[in-house]
């Protein structure tokens, strides 16, 4: 596993923003349009703040989420709300965005339209993932009823899932999409997640440690 350790979170976010800008620019040199999948949750906000201030051809970048809680964007739980507020602003305001949630539809109904738009964007040009201390990533959770089918090689690109202890249904990019990304980064903080990512590397079993799907190809960025 390629793990980069930083002296503090601010330095990690600044350095990772630089790295992502370079990955996006490299992809933009050889593609008219590029896809950029980002995590939700509480970690990436400062990364988005820094990235949104970077000058690049954002109008040729489609931003999407690795996963979404099936809630309206008015909800504090919405990952799309986080991305619109913290990433799709400043220079990055001109980026395209592919939200997953559709008001009034159940996850399975809403995903048909998303899947049709997502497929031509694959493989993902740049992927950033978070991780939970339970070794979940995106919404691929240990113990989820749909986990085995979501990490299978024949999984559809995006799936509706439920997860133990999660208050709402979720939708998630699936194993083949995550492991097929051209450039993959994981951003985690704290001792518990450091121990968890090292455990995931040794387990090397996506059914127990979903993050292990991508650890052979990803760069893991960690600060205390
Ligand atoms: O919708 C989500 O919650 C995320 O996409 C999820 O996969 C997240 O990256 C991890 O749960 C870590 O979340 P924190 O950054 O809040 O610890």
């Amino acid at each position: 596993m390629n793990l980069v350790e930083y002296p503090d979170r601010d330095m990690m976010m600044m350095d990772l923003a630089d790295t992502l800008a370079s990955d996006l620019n490299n992809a933009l040199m050889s593609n008219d349009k590029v896809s950029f999948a980002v995590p939700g949750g509480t970690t990436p906000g400062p990364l988005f703040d820094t990235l949104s201030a970077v000058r690049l051809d954002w109008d040729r970048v489609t931003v999407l989420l690795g996963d979404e809680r099936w809630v309206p964007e008015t909800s504090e739980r919405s990952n799309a709300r986080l991305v619109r507020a913290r990433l799709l602003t400043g220079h990055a305001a001109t980026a395209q965005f592919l939200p997953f949630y559709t008001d009034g539809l159940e996850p399975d109904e809403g995903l048909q339209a998303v899947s049709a738009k997502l497929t031509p964007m694959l493989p993902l040009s740049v992927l950033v993932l978070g991780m939970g201390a339970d070794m979940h990533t995106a919404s691929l959770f240990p113990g989820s009823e749909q986990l085995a089918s979501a990490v299978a090689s024949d999984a559809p690109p995006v799936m509706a899932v439920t997860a133990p202890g999660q208050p709402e249904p979720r939708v998630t990019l699936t194993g083949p999409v995550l492991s097929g990304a051209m450039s993959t980064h994981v951003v985690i903080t704290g001792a518990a997640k450091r121990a968890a990512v090292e455990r995931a590397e040794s387990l090397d079993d996506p059914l127990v440690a979903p993050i292990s799907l991508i650890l052979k190809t990803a760069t893991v960025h960690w600060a205390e």
Side-chain angles (χ1 to χ4, degrees):
M1 167 171 63
N2 178 18
L3 187 138
V4 181
E5 191 172 321
Y6 295 84
D8 63 55
R9 297 185 184 189
D10 290 348
M11 285 183 72
M12 176 171 73
M13 297 305 185
M14 302 289 280
D15 186 73
L16 179 51
D18 276 351
T19 301
L20 294 172
S22 158
D23 285 358
L24 288 167
N25 276 317
N26 288 340
L28 287 163
M29 277 193 278
S30 42
N31 299 278
D32 180 42
K33 293 203 179 290
V34 304
S35 48
F36 178 32
V38 297
T42 59
T43 301
L47 173 65
F48 293 163
D49 294 341
T50 306
L51 210 42
S52 65
V54 172
R55 285 180 190 281
L56 54 87
D57 282 351
W58 284 106
D59 55 324
R60 294 196 287 124
V61 179
T62 298
V63 172
L64 62 151
L65 280 152
D67 67 321
E68 179 62 280
R69 299 81 177 271
W70 202 255
V71 292
E73 289 188 19
T74 48
S75 163
E76 291 289 327
R77 295 277 297 159
S78 165
N79 287 337
R81 176 191 173 103
L82 170 76
V83 167
R84 287 194 198 276
R86 306 282 293 269
L87 179 55
L88 302 179
T89 181
H91 291 298
T94 58
Q96 314 301 313
F97 181 43
L98 175 61
F100 288 163
Y101 176 79
T102 311
D103 238 344
L105 292 183
E106 290 303 308
D108 271 329
E109 299 166 307
L111 288 184
Q112 282 153 31
V114 168
S115 192
K117 290 179 191 158
L118 171 64
T119 303
M121 297 180 193
L122 301 179
L124 294 173
S125 312
V126 183
L127 169 64
V128 185
L129 289 167
M131 187 196 76
D134 63 355
M135 302 179 286
H136 85 262
T137 192
S139 281
L140 304 174
F141 284 84
S144 163
E145 222 175 286
Q146 299 81 12
L147 180 60
S149 39
V151 299
S153 56
D154 61 351
V158 58
M159 275 180 64
V161 298
T162 53
Q166 294 303 317
E168 60 278 298
R170 289 175 171 235
V171 294
T172 187
L173 298 182
T174 56
V177 170
L178 300 184
S179 48
M182 303 304 285
S183 170
T184 304
H185 299 270
V186 178
V187 55
I188 53 174
T189 58
K193 289 188 182 183
R194 174 70 184 262
V197 78
E198 286 170 348
R199 180 157 178 260
E201 184 187 31
S202 60
L203 286 167
D204 192 20
D205 178 352
L207 293 176
V208 176
I211 191 76
S212 61
L213 268 171
I214 50 87
L215 288 182
K216 293 186 176 64
T217 53
T219 301
V220 179
H221 305 261
W222 177 81
E224 182 62 50

